[in-house]
Amino acid sequence: MALINKIREKSGWAVGAIAIGLGVFVVGGDLLGPNSRLLGNDATTVGEIAGEEIDYQRFDMVFQQIKAQYEGQVQRAATESEMAMMREQAWNQLIFQIALQKEYDRLGIQVSEEELADMVQGNNIHPSVRQAFTNPQTGEFDRNQVVQYLQNLDQTGGRPMWVNFEQSILNDRIQTKYSNLLTKSEYVTTAEAKKHFEAQNTIASMKVLYIPYFSIADSAVSVTDAQLKDYYNRNKELYKVEDGRTLEYVTIPVAASTDDMNYFQEELKDLTEQFAASTNDSAFVNTHSDLPYDGTYLHTAELPEQLHAIAPLEEGKVYGPYNQGDTYALYKIVDIRDGSVNTARASHILIKPENDTPEAKQAALAKAKDIQAQIKNGADFAAMAAQHGSDGTASVGGDLGYFTEGRMVPAFEKAVFGATSEGLLPAPVETEYGYHIIKITAPKSKRTYKVAAVQRSLDASDATRDQAYAMADELAGTSGSTQEFRENVKKNEALSVEEAANVGKNNVLVGNLSNARELVRWAYSKDTSVGDVSPVFEINDQYVIATLTGKREKGYAKIEDVKEELTAAVRNEVKAQQIIEKLKGATGSLDQIAANYGPDAIVREAEEVSLASGAIPGLGLEPVAIGKAFGLKQGSRTAPIEGQGGVVIAELVNLTKAPEAQDLTGVKAQLVNTRTSRVETNAFEAIKEKADIKDNRVRFF
């Protein structure tokens, strides 16, 4: 049975460990094999990948496998936001599973029966098989154990699990072959390596005249629709977009009212009295608390902050209520006993030497002794810590709080846990950090406490919730369009509109709203049109009403949707033309040209500029200007260049050529590594793009 469990564990590992492209996508079991699909029923189709329809049942099977594995690892149920991420992972798994399988088939990549046998019990054992059948006593792989396990599959009932495990390692081997096919195809010629080496090591000194675009006011440049269209057509690939929906929305919090607070305070008062009189504290907590009873004994350092601030505590006494945000807590000390570890509380002032020399250490010690003397003569310890402390505790008066043995460096710990009473230790203590002036605020103790805690959240009452819903329902019910929605919001000073632009179809977040999946589904519904107002959604203890103000479909953005971005780009082009026109015919040195142009022209020296960097110190990325400058003769200058942030004229002052490379082996290896790190990702992205994916998940989740 232990071996079967081990195979089950390794099967899960093999399923979960196969990384594909941009993320880790589980490829396991018989999921790569053919699956039946529902034909002609669009209502069950989650999407389409490379011409293959994905029905709900198939998608859910992959999702449930990922979900079960995740929940098994974290030992709890997945949250809604976690499940949203797992659905994304399941979808990506299917994309790569289907699209890649077609690529494997096209290339004829497969694993023969002989190769599979070799991976399980031959000379080239798969890592997951090796790990599953390694003898824990010897640390050696046991091939005989594999053979024995396979012979007993039918008797143990482990054949289905083994088939799944075997398929997983087979898929892993296929993916490895494909990966190797891509990465091993990378080759760098000697000429390429030489060119790269020279680009990295040829260094130029330049003098640069720079006139920033912002030197011309935006208001001084007019941009026509024709110019926007022309720029858009020349740069259309920059404006590819995914599906998007733009929303305006209003949130109405469901927060406890003053009446709710008053009622809650009275309830806490009654609970405090009942808790003090209770004879069965665990039952009382389980009845009245939001969290179950935990009977663990706690050292003082482990107590809730409010309790260890007032320790020592009394057995049978109820402390509180204390609040943190909207959560209130009552604590009852059920029992007190000595544990096995000492706890203490101390404050310190750390004086660090300026360096490791004997003189610096002597100076730090003298300063520590002087501060200690001042404290002995009545100076406030916390004030002295704030003034002289050199670590993070200075801001809290040197307070280290409670800590157990084993937490501090030995010399410090010996001093603190060697003290038997409160007060200032007689002399500074030296550690590797410096000299510590130590004040014991709670001497060592092995005392532990069993604490019963009643923790309650302040929630809005039904009446308060109904009132908030009535406001939300009125806004939704009286708004038949975006215009009416905006007008109704203006009538209520308690409401304000927020916007979320271009929300993706698989988003969970909408603006500052988390877990807003239902709102996204409404926005993408085929029944929702621009101008529609949503019903009331309850999201994170608040009611939300939204209106759909815009739709963007996958493809190229409409000019009107990116008009602001286009206008800024075209405006810079126009400014560049104006600046270049003004510079036309300019003569003399760069300093003279700058002086004639005006105060907006800047001249800078640029040292240690390499062709590979593409950047001019002080100006940022200007690859065109650098490229042209490197092609100049010494003392020559470029024509005015339309740069990233302004117009540039570069003058080559000096060019130091790269030394003659004696051995380009390292350069070749560097380039190969750089390219192979990208080749798989690029290939997978290309395959994904060609897969003609239709994603309809928004209909279901």
Side-chain angles (χ1 to χ4, degrees):
M1 285 302 293
L3 186 56
I4 292 175
N5 289 333
K6 198 170 187 180
I7 288 294
R8 183 180 293 114
E9 292 173 5
K10 300 312 165 192
S11 176
W13 175 88
V15 171
I18 300 171
I20 300 181
L22 297 178
V24 178
F25 303 106
V26 182
V27 179
D30 58 356
L31 293 178
L32 282 178
N35 277 305
S36 61
R37 57 194 178 109
L38 298 174
L39 298 175
N41 187 356
D42 183 66
T44 64
T45 302
V46 175
E48 185 178 310
I49 301 169
E52 191 170 323
E53 286 187 3
I54 310 299
D55 62 45
Y56 181 89
Q57 184 178 4
R58 182 176 180 183
F59 177 84
D60 190 58
M61 180 178 67
V62 179
F63 167 71
Q64 293 298 338
Q65 183 182 29
I66 294 172
K67 180 171 175 280
Q69 184 181 5
Y70 177 79
E71 291 181 340
Q73 290 172 344
V74 300
Q75 297 295 304
R76 60 170 175 79
T79 65
E80 279 299 321
S81 60
E82 288 170 336
M83 285 196 289
M85 288 188 289
M86 284 185 274
R87 290 191 186 100
E88 190 69 20
Q89 185 180 352
W91 181 247
N92 283 327
Q93 175 180 320
L94 284 166
I95 290 173
F96 286 100
Q97 196 179 89
I98 294 167
L100 276 174
Q101 186 60 50
K102 290 181 182 295
E103 188 71 0
Y104 299 155
D105 294 341
R106 185 181 71 83
L107 295 169
I109 298 175
Q110 54 185 286
V111 173
S112 66
E113 290 186 7
E114 292 78 10
E115 186 178 357
L116 182 59
D118 186 50
M119 292 161 60
V120 173
Q121 50 183 311
N123 296 321
N124 298 285
I125 303 299
H126 190 278
S128 58
V129 176
R130 182 177 297 279
Q131 190 171 0
F133 291 95
T134 292
N135 188 314
Q137 279 74 40
T138 65
E140 298 292 328
F141 171 68
D142 190 342
R143 186 176 282 99
N144 292 329
Q145 193 179 17
V146 179
V147 175
Q148 183 180 358
Y149 175 80
L150 294 176
Q151 290 173 344
N152 295 325
L153 280 177
D154 292 326
Q155 290 88 336
T156 61
R159 185 169 294 279
M161 184 172 57
W162 175 258
V163 170
N164 182 59
F165 176 73
E166 197 174 61
Q167 185 67 46
S168 298
I169 63 174
L170 182 149
N171 293 332
D172 185 31
R173 176 60 61 86
I174 289 176
Q175 201 281 325
T176 300
K177 287 183 176 184
Y178 181 65
S179 175
N180 289 338
L181 178 67
L182 294 174
T183 57
K184 300 301 181 184
S185 66
E186 285 297 332
Y187 178 75
V188 175
T189 67
T190 301
E192 286 179 293
K194 184 178 180 181
K195 186 177 179 180
H196 179 77
F197 178 81
E198 290 174 349
Q200 293 278 356
N201 294 282
T202 299
I203 303 299
S205 296
M206 300 180 187
K207 196 169 185 178
V208 180
L209 183 147
Y210 179 70
I211 304 167
Y213 296 138
F214 62 74
S215 64
I216 300 176
D218 289 349
S219 58
V221 178
S222 59
V223 176
T224 66
D225 290 342
Q227 287 173 307
L228 294 178
K229 186 175 181 181
D230 174 63
Y231 184 89
Y232 176 83
N233 289 333
R234 285 187 283 119
N235 300 276
K236 199 170 183 179
E237 292 303 311
L238 297 176
Y239 298 99
K240 277 187 173 180
V241 294
E242 297 295 323
D243 291 307
R245 298 291 184 268
T246 298
L247 300 160
E248 291 180 12
Y249 63 93
V250 165
T251 58
I252 300 174
V254 183
S257 66
T258 302
D259 288 342
D260 295 336
M261 171 61 82
N262 292 337
Y263 179 83
F264 188 74
Q265 294 288 1
E266 287 297 319
E267 187 178 16
L268 281 177
K269 184 179 178 181
D270 292 340
L271 272 177
T272 304
E273 295 174 359
Q274 295 170 25
F275 200 13
S278 170
T279 57
N280 190 334
D281 297 312
S282 61
F284 188 90
V285 168
N286 289 332
T287 301
H288 297 284
S289 178
D290 293 340
L291 297 176
Y293 175 77
D294 180 1
T296 305
Y297 281 87
L298 304 174
H299 291 283
T300 307
E302 300 170 322
L303 290 171
E305 183 179 350
Q306 300 94 333
L307 293 186
H308 69 56
I310 58 173
L313 308 171
E314 297 178 29
E315 184 176 341
K317 185 174 180 179
V318 175
Y319 296 86
Y322 303 105
N323 77 292
Q324 185 171 4
D326 289 334
T327 300
Y328 289 75
L330 295 168
Y331 301 108
K332 184 175 183 180
I333 307 305
V334 178
D335 188 28
I336 301 174
R337 67 167 61 164
D338 282 344
S340 58
V341 180
N342 276 312
T343 302
R345 183 175 186 177
S347 297
H348 81 140
I349 303 171
L350 173 61
I351 307 301
K352 294 181 179 179
E354 292 184 0
N355 51 57
D356 290 335
T357 64
E359 293 79 11
K361 290 183 178 181
Q362 191 62 38
L365 177 58
K367 181 179 179 181
K369 287 181 176 179
D370 178 62
I371 294 170
Q372 181 142 10
Q374 292 182 54
I375 295 171
K376 286 181 178 178
N377 291 329
D380 181 70
F381 188 98
M384 297 298 281
Q387 181 180 351
H388 299 287
S390 55
D391 71 343
T393 65
S395 60
V396 291
D399 185 21
L400 292 164
Y402 281 93
F403 50 90
T404 55
E405 286 180 293
R407 292 280 304 280
M408 302 296 181
V409 294
F412 188 94
E413 187 167 284
K414 181 179 179 181
V416 171
F417 287 98
T420 57
S421 61
E422 296 180 6
L424 190 70
L425 294 187
V429 174
E430 182 181 4
T431 71
E432 55 262 47
Y433 298 106
Y435 295 93
H436 304 258
I437 304 156
I438 302 174
K439 177 184 176 183
I440 307 298
T441 49
K444 66 179 180 182
S445 170
K446 292 186 176 180
R447 185 176 300 155
T448 62
Y449 302 90
K450 182 188 284 189
V451 182
V454 173
Q455 300 182 65
R456 297 281 290 272
S457 295
L458 172 58
D459 298 320
S461 65
D462 289 342
T464 300
R465 187 173 291 275
D466 290 345
Q467 186 177 2
Y469 181 82
M471 183 187 297
D473 190 47
E474 181 181 6
L475 176 59
T478 57
S479 302
S481 65
T482 296
Q483 186 59 35
E484 290 181 1
F485 175 83
R486 291 169 177 166
E487 290 172 356
N488 287 333
V489 171
K490 287 180 180 178
K491 295 175 185 177
N492 190 334
E493 294 182 356
L495 302 179
S496 61
V497 175
E498 297 183 61
E499 184 182 54
N502 296 319
V503 177
K505 66 165 62 175
N506 295 310
N507 278 26
V508 176
L509 301 176
V510 175
N512 58 7
L513 299 174
S514 58
N515 299 321
R517 192 71 197 131
E518 288 303 311
L519 177 56
V520 175
R521 291 187 63 200
W522 171 81
Y524 276 89
S525 170
K526 62 182 180 180
D527 298 324
T528 303
S529 303
V530 173
D532 285 355
V533 177
S534 75
V536 178
F537 293 101
E538 186 173 357
I539 302 173
N540 299 335
D541 282 332
Q542 57 190 342
Y543 293 116
V544 179
I545 313 94
T547 179
L548 184 66
T549 58
K551 282 187 178 183
R552 186 182 74 182
E553 305 303 333
K554 183 177 180 178
Y556 293 101
K558 296 177 182 178
I559 290 179
E560 55 267 29
D561 291 342
V562 290
K563 189 171 183 178
E564 186 175 340
E565 185 179 345
L566 285 172
T567 299
V570 173
R571 190 186 290 127
N572 281 347
E573 279 194 345
V574 175
K575 289 180 180 181
Q577 292 165 8
Q578 292 178 359
I579 295 169
I580 291 171
E581 183 64 29
K582 189 174 178 180
L583 289 169
K584 188 178 290 184
T587 59
S589 68
L590 289 185
D591 291 309
Q592 289 171 332
I593 294 173
N596 291 333
Y597 184 91
D600 295 321
I602 305 165
V603 176
R604 286 188 176 171
E605 304 284 345
E607 303 290 340
E608 301 292 321
V609 179
S610 72
L611 185 62
S613 72
I616 298 175
L619 300 185
L621 285 173
E622 291 292 350
V624 175
I626 290 177
K628 294 198 174 192
F630 268 73
L632 296 173
K633 292 181 179 180
Q634 188 170 320
S636 299
R637 69 170 70 120
T638 67
I641 297 168
E642 181 183 337
Q644 302 290 311
V647 172
V648 179
I649 299 177
E651 182 179 288
L652 183 63
V653 176
N654 184 55
L655 187 69
T656 304
K657 291 188 176 182
E660 193 68 31
Q662 300 300 315
D663 183 6
L664 293 170
T665 304
V667 180
K668 285 184 176 182
Q670 177 191 355
L671 285 172
V672 168
N673 288 337
T674 301
R675 293 178 183 180
T676 53
S677 68
R678 297 194 303 255
V679 65
E680 283 190 83
T681 298
N682 293 341
F684 293 144
E685 282 301 305
I687 292 169
K688 184 177 178 179
E689 187 174 346
K690 296 295 183 182
D692 190 23
I693 296 166
K694 296 179 176 64
D695 184 356
N696 299 322
R697 284 177 291 156
V698 72
R699 298 180 185 175
F700 301 87
F701 314 105

